[in-house]
Amino acid sequence: MKGVFALLLATSLLSACSSSQTAAPAASSASSHSTTVETTTSSAPPTQTGQQSPPDVAPEHAIRAVRAIEVRFSKLDPRLADGIRAVSGIESTVRCWTKPGWKRLEKIMHRSLSGLADTGVYEIHLHPFACQGVRFLLAGNQPESGDEALFVAEGLVVLTHEGTHFTSAGSNEAVVECRAMQNAHLVAARLGIDEDYARHLARLYWEQAYPRNDPVYGSPECRDGGIMDVNPDSSDWP
Ligand SMILES: [Zn+2]
């Protein structure tokens, strides 16, 4: 429990940082060229207010550098890989990184990130906080409110966001982020997490973490009835 709370605090700081200074996405990703790295983030690189987040396009040499250190600094998580199939529909791998490893990855990418999707090899890289959040849910915990609930909500949406990069949403960060928030309950259900509870987490995310002011990851069309509403006939949101 102590560990989780420590992480919660760390994440809150990250979020505060990104939303106030940057409007960073909670999950981002890079775009996609044929080989590309998709990224997610709850902590985008600090930029000045009003400036646009940098595009998440990772140069090929950066992707190779990440792949070169992944075995040393991360572990495969087959459970999360199975969960993400609920939205991606394909086989992919999910790697949970160590904190020191993630620092190296961020250095390679020249930005703070919560996740990264390597569309060249269908591999998802996750910040330690995202893995810890989802695993906390897998252990049967269901925090309803406060920092702990927001923490697990962000972890679930980050995972979903990265998997969404393997879909037709491709490299459009705003679409990926909006769909991830709306479909996170599907990933949760596949992981054996109560679906109604996961919808509650998605609402929390919408209220407190959705990067609505970020010109790359947020969009005014991400709303009930907006063009990014995946269930336009329903008034449920997200
Ligand atoms: Zn993304």
Side-chain angles (χ1 to χ4, degrees), residues 27-30 38-40 56 161-162 165 173 176 217:
S28 64
S29 67
E38 298 291 344
T39 61
T40 296
D56 280 4
H161 178 113
E162 296 312 325
H165 275 299
E173 289 300 340
V176 167
Y217 297 94

Side-chain angles (χ1 to χ4, degrees), residues 5 41 44 46 51 74 83 85 111 175 188 190-191 197 203 212 225 231:
F5 277 111
T41 313
Q51 279 189 339
S74 68
R85 286 190 69 188
R111 63 176 302 188
V175 171
R190 184 156 178 134
L191 287 168
Y197 169 69
R203 284 192 292 276
R212 47 181 53 73
N231 296 301

Side-chain angles (χ1 to χ4, degrees), residues 148-233:
E148 206 174 21
L150 190 56
F151 178 74
V152 296
E154 290 184 345
L156 184 61
V157 174
V158 167
L159 172 64
T160 309
H161 178 113
E162 296 312 325
T164 303
H165 275 299
F166 299 150
T167 70
S168 61
S171 60
N172 186 319
E173 289 300 340
V175 171
V176 167
E177 174 66 1
C178 193
R179 286 191 191 168
M181 176 178 64
Q182 296 176 76
N183 291 331
H185 66 284
L186 300 175
V187 174
R190 184 156 178 134
L191 287 168
I193 298 162
D194 183 79
E195 194 171 324
D196 287 337
Y197 169 69
R199 287 179 186 273
H200 165 69
L201 292 181
R203 284 192 292 276
L204 273 184
Y205 186 86
W206 167 246
E207 290 160 6
Q208 300 180 41
Y210 176 73
R212 47 181 53 73
N213 296 320
D214 187 294
V216 175
Y217 297 94
S219 168
E221 288 302 329
C222 184
R223 57 181 162 81
D224 186 25
I227 57 175
M228 295 180 189
D229 184 347
V230 298
N231 296 301
D233 296 333

